[in-house]
Amino acid sequence: MEKRATRLRRNFVVMTIALQYTNITVNDVDEALGFYRDALGLEVQNDVASGEYRWVTLGSDAQPGLGIVLSVPHAGRSQADGDAMQELLTKGVLPLVVFRSDDVDTLFETVRASGAEVLQEPMDQGWGPRDCAFRDPSGNTVRVAQAPAA
């Protein structure tokens, strides 16, 4: 048994994998920039237009190499798929996004001052983090968490 385990380890290929992009579907990219860039403080890394659509990539120095791409439901999709995505966005059932901050209370005040819809004021959760929640202008749920003090 021990010889077989050793043999398997020698044939195992070690590699890395990391998230590079994630997409947030919004109704209006410019309106969403007011939330993600201006209120949350993300930086525009790229702004690509193709025909009537555009994809804006945002990021943060706190997590270099990760891009958050804002686009509308029909960008890069068939009419039927874009319609389905629009319906899910309208219902508010697309997956939420969770950011982390080292000062959730200050960030909360900045985002609230932008006029964003508050879903939850900062509170300590029983499982550890302190967090808050908002809706972006398109209705997506956005949470911001801060790890508990060690």
Side-chain angles (χ1 to χ4, degrees):
M1 179 78 131
E2 182 131 351
K3 277 188 172 186
R4 184 168 189 261
T6 302
R7 194 175 13 194
L8 288 176
R9 278 191 292 250
R10 282 189 215 138
N11 293 330
F12 186 76
V13 177
V14 178
M15 64 179 169
T16 62
I17 186 167
L19 183 61
Q20 184 172 352
Y21 295 107
T22 190
N23 187 278
I24 299 175
T25 303
V26 297
N27 287 317
D28 181 306
V29 172
D30 287 319
E31 184 179 39
L33 282 170
F35 179 82
Y36 291 97
R37 181 194 58 207
D38 302 338
L40 286 181
L42 298 173
E43 297 174 11
V44 173
Q45 297 174 334
N46 206 359
D47 190 335
V48 176
S50 178
E52 62 184 287
Y53 302 114
R54 61 192 265 240
W55 293 261
V56 175
T57 305
L58 300 153
S60 167
D61 289 342
Q63 205 166 11
L66 175 61
I68 299 161
V69 181
L70 303 177
S71 63
V72 297
H74 289 89
R77 295 183 179 93
S78 69
Q79 184 66 43
D81 290 346
D83 290 348
M85 185 65 83
Q86 181 66 61
E87 185 177 335
L88 294 172
L89 179 60
T90 300
K91 288 180 179 180
V93 296
L94 291 178
L96 64 91
V97 62
V98 181
F99 291 96
R100 71 172 180 254
S101 173
D102 58 358
D103 187 350
V104 74
D105 293 285
T106 299
L107 184 63
F108 173 81
E109 292 303 330
T110 300
V111 177
R112 178 167 57 181
S114 78
E117 178 186 350
V118 175
L119 297 177
Q120 175 200 305
E121 293 196 11
M123 63 183 287
D124 296 324
Q125 300 293 351
W127 59 90
R130 180 168 180 75
D131 72 353
C132 62
F134 298 93
R135 284 208 192 281
D136 75 5
S138 298
N140 293 302
T141 300
V142 176
R143 298 190 74 80
V144 181
Q146 178 178 333

